[in-house]
Amino acid sequence: MEENRTIFHIDLDAFFASCEERENPQFLGMPIVVGADPKGGNGRGVVSTANYSARKFGIHSALPISRAWHLCPTAIFLPVNSTLYSRVSSSVMKILKSTAQKYNGKFAQVGIDEAYIVLEARSRTISNPSAAAVAKEIKQKIFKQEKVTASVGVGPNMLIAKIASDFQKPNGITVVNLKDVQKFLDPMSIRKLPGIGPKTEYNLKKFMVQTVEDLRKIPQSTLYDEFGQPGISLYESARGIDHRVVDEERETKSISEEHTFEHDTDSAQEILPIFFSLVKNVLNTTERGGYKNFKTVTIKIRYSNFKTHTKSKSGAYSTKDSDKIEKLALQLLWPFLNKKIRLIGFRVSGF
Ligand code: TTP
Ligand code: MG
């Protein structure tokens, strides 16, 4: 593991909900849920995010909105306002980029509300601030300018930085030095390791694995036999090993938006205006994120029976060609408009 570089992972807290809190100070301290319309418990679609007061009721991202309403009917339910979030996001990313430049470091945005900064030990010692001081500086700048809080994780590689930023959410700073990596990881549930979802967790149960320390006791060959190549990643993650390097400007993988209809529908009149607004929002977010060009356009469609299809087309696209992209997206979507649908989505990727 590299000893001469320090990696920061910055992730905004309850991002969409924090933007809403900032815009609506009258909601301060109240549970806020951003997502589909709950329609008094009969709404369809999902929660995009919930603030930390709403999370106390068990509400979280991707939960059906109807379930969220039943868990806390008195919460403030708000629709997704992507223009606002992409404005806040690009301003925060500018702050992070200039902080990275100030210390001669690298910057890579990896999502709407998260980014990595890599500082070489050498460049940091010039002005000599500690990692914790840089983390504090980042948080203060973001709060001063955008009135949202972030959590910062610092570690010797991307894996540890990412786990660390989640460790003391919200509004936390967690610095993990190289010598403390194993001590930090061992007591954690394996679910904290990226790539371990409910399925891998279930498959690891037969080896009596619950914590990272348990996982570390399983030989590499056993993990390989059970999971193939991803088993090797498990072996390495459990030891805090991560060979990835932060690739500046190329980290954001895709930008997308989806919409669930209130009723399943096959009416083009109902579907198309929504579809075009998704395309427009995604292109706006993409442009604001500083990605002018992309390689792939994907549409997604989910029928009433939940069967889901995606269709992509690759080429050389630019956010400037919105008419061309709308047309292309429509061509991809058209063959699927033959049955009642529940959800549509649009995504661009390959920046
Ligand atoms: P996250 O950073 O995963 O979540 P968060 O910022 O809401 O909460 P925290 O980081 O404090 O745990 O996602 C960033 C935003 O992306 C989130 O505010 C809303 C959006 N999002 C969705 O729309 N659907 C999802 O399923 C997830 C996970 C996020
Ligand atoms: Mg976040």
Side-chain angles (χ1 to χ4, degrees):
M1 223 177 315
E2 294 276 354
E3 266 184 85
N4 56 352
R5 71 172 72 113
T6 310
I7 307 213
F8 295 71
H9 180 254
I10 303 100
D11 189 302
L12 301 174
D13 302 320
F15 179 47
F16 292 4
S18 302
C19 294
E20 297 295 348
E21 262 177 38
R22 176 191 91 167
E23 298 296 300
N24 305 283
Q26 72 274 23
F27 298 151
L28 200 77
M30 297 160 93
I32 297 178
V33 181
V34 178
D37 185 345
K39 303 235 156 163
N42 297 313
R44 313 199 327 157
V46 293
V47 172
S48 285
T49 197
N51 68 356
Y52 280 80
S53 343
R55 288 182 200 193
K56 287 193 194 130
F57 295 87
I59 301 173
H60 55 80
S61 294
L63 190 75
I65 199 75
S66 53
R67 179 95 190 96
W69 192 88
H70 288 290
L71 287 169
C72 184
T74 55
I76 309 288
F77 286 87
L78 298 169
V80 174
N81 177 356
S82 3
T83 316
L84 169 65
Y85 316 144
S86 63
R87 191 152 28 104
V88 178
S89 167
S90 52
S91 159
V92 168
M93 294 304 156
K94 271 195 201 118
I95 295 171
L96 297 178
K97 194 171 181 172
S98 74
T99 310
Q101 279 163 350
K102 173 175 160 192
Y103 294 110
N104 283 321
K106 281 192 190 173
F107 162 80
Q109 180 178 356
V110 287
I112 190 162
D113 81 331
E114 54 175 321
Y116 289 95
I117 289 179
V118 186
L119 301 187
E120 303 291 334
R122 194 169 12 91
S123 62
R124 241 187 338 114
T125 43
I126 298 169
S127 48
N128 208 23
S130 67
V134 175
K136 208 166 157 193
E137 173 187 344
I138 290 170
K139 281 164 52 59
Q140 280 172 346
K141 278 186 186 161
I142 294 174
F143 191 76
K144 185 161 177 249
Q145 195 167 316
E146 289 300 326
K147 298 286 176 287
V148 291
T149 61
S151 294
V152 181
V154 185
N157 59 40
M158 291 167 85
L159 170 81
I160 301 301
K162 168 106 182 165
I163 297 173
S165 73
D166 190 51
F167 192 65
Q168 296 189 73
K169 255 187 178 293
N171 207 7
I173 296 177
T174 303
V175 179
V176 184
N177 292 310
L178 186 60
K179 66 174 184 8
D180 302 320
V181 163
Q182 204 62 63
K183 208 167 54 192
F184 174 64
L185 290 179
D186 270 349
M188 277 185 194
S189 152
I190 48 164
R191 284 297 293 278
K192 294 283 176 190
L193 296 177
I196 301 196
K199 204 170 145 203
T200 311
E201 183 184 29
Y202 178 82
N203 289 334
L204 282 167
K205 279 236 165 83
K206 72 170 164 215
F207 301 105
M208 311 288 282
V209 169
Q210 265 175 348
T211 64
V212 174
E213 188 174 14
D214 300 337
L215 177 59
R216 215 151 45 79
K217 295 189 176 131
I218 312 292
Q220 192 177 31
S221 54
T222 310
L223 292 171
Y224 183 76
D225 291 344
E226 184 70 19
F227 301 102
Q229 203 54 38
I232 306 293
S233 301
L234 290 180
Y235 180 88
E236 294 187 336
S237 301
R239 286 159 180 75
I241 299 169
D242 181 7
H243 301 296
R244 288 174 299 162
V245 285
V246 173
D247 191 359
E248 273 185 296
E249 313 292 353
R250 294 196 53 85
E251 287 289 341
T252 298
K253 290 184 181 76
S254 69
I255 293 173
S256 63
E257 220 169 271
E258 298 183 348
H259 176 85
T260 306
F261 290 97
E262 292 305 334
H263 308 275
D264 296 340
T265 175
D266 54 5
S267 148
Q269 242 176 342
E270 215 173 324
I271 296 166
L272 294 185
I274 303 262
F275 182 66
F276 289 133
S277 77
L278 293 182
V279 174
K280 199 165 135 238
N281 286 345
V282 167
L283 291 180
N284 272 339
T285 308
T286 307
E287 177 137 346
R288 278 174 193 278
Y291 304 100
K292 295 204 169 47
N293 303 300
F294 50 92
K295 290 195 194 77
T296 308
V297 165
T298 305
I299 62 104
K300 174 173 171 180
I301 197 142
R302 178 169 295 145
Y303 291 120
S304 332
N305 62 3
F306 279 85
K307 261 213 157 122
T308 306
H309 301 270
T310 58
K311 190 90 189 159
S312 300
K313 175 115 179 132
S314 291
Y317 306 117
S318 155
T319 46
K320 282 197 218 83
D321 305 328
S322 53
D323 289 350
K324 187 174 131 190
I325 291 158
E326 269 188 14
K327 239 182 243 163
L328 169 64
L330 183 60
Q331 275 168 12
L332 293 172
L333 183 76
W334 199 253
F336 293 98
L337 297 182
N338 53 357
K339 278 192 282 217
K340 287 212 169 192
I341 63 174
R342 177 181 174 87
L343 170 149
I344 47 170
F346 178 72
R347 177 170 80 222
V348 302
S349 55
F351 301 111

